[in-house]
Amino acid sequence: PARQLPGFADQSNDENSSDKSAPRRRGKTLCHWRRFCVSRIYVLAKNFAKNELVVGYEDDPLLYKKTAEVSEVNWVSGQPPKFPLNCEVRLRHRQPLQKAVIRPLTLDSSRSKVQSLKSKVMVAFSKPQRAVTPGQFAAFYKNGECLGGGVIK
């Protein structure tokens, strides 16, 4: 089972709180009433089978990914494009578009088209992307036009 750090259990971070034992954020660190400070930590991976949570700091290489599996893909045109698809991808609202190559994970062997419209694809980014988060959406663009998108696995 997960353990909580002393003094971090369900306490308010509100600046108006009169509880002086509540943790306070100072820049990129979380401080507990001058007793200790820790840098922000990020969830890097979850292993439900072993009941493990892997955490790391902002500069941890595990926070950056070159690929992402995207499922439940919907194509705006109603038809999947020809693969491999060179396009741009956005993982977060207002994030600059990122160059990527999309390849299908479910492929009809006789042609380079996906068998079903709600398919799975693998997105390979030209540069590693920070915090590719399962459950969020990836949107695919080409020449400023949205081609479709799906859920990051």
Side-chain angles (χ1 to χ4, degrees):
R3 283 196 246 158
Q4 293 180 330
L5 292 173
F8 283 88
D10 298 325
Q11 294 180 356
S12 171
N13 277 343
D14 191 330
E15 291 296 330
N16 298 325
S17 173
S18 60
D19 183 1
K20 295 293 184 187
S21 67
R24 303 277 183 235
R25 192 174 297 250
R26 293 183 185 156
K28 290 193 173 196
T29 58
L30 186 66
C31 296
H32 186 274
W33 194 241
R34 297 186 184 152
R35 285 190 276 169
F36 61 90
C37 294
V38 292
S39 294
R40 288 185 190 174
I41 56 174
Y42 298 86
V43 175
L44 304 176
K46 298 175 188 177
N47 185 337
F48 293 107
K50 293 182 179 180
N51 198 25
E52 291 179 342
L53 189 64
V54 179
V55 298
Y57 297 105
E58 189 170 10
D59 59 348
D60 195 306
L62 290 177
L63 193 58
Y64 294 84
K65 305 282 186 211
K66 285 275 290 179
T67 61
E69 182 180 327
V70 179
S71 65
E72 300 177 42
V73 176
N74 286 301
W75 300 104
V76 174
S77 69
Q79 296 294 320
K82 298 232 184 224
F83 293 98
L85 174 64
N86 290 306
C87 65
E88 295 176 312
V89 178
R90 179 171 284 144
L91 301 175
R92 281 179 282 292
H93 179 64
R94 294 192 180 191
Q95 175 195 29
L97 293 170
Q98 305 296 315
K99 291 184 180 182
V101 176
I102 299 176
R103 290 186 168 78
L105 290 178
T106 41
L107 188 66
D108 183 347
S109 59
S110 65
R111 53 199 166 124
S112 64
K113 285 206 168 196
V114 174
Q115 289 178 342
S116 91
L117 292 177
K118 297 227 177 191
S119 56
K120 292 182 184 178
V121 296
M122 181 61 70
V123 179
F125 299 101
S126 60
K127 294 180 184 174
Q129 299 298 302
R130 183 180 177 275
V132 176
T133 308
Q136 290 187 339
F137 285 82
F140 315 134
Y141 295 86
K142 188 152 190 164
N143 301 322
E145 178 184 347
C146 182
L147 302 175
V151 181
I152 300 170
K153 288 299 242 181

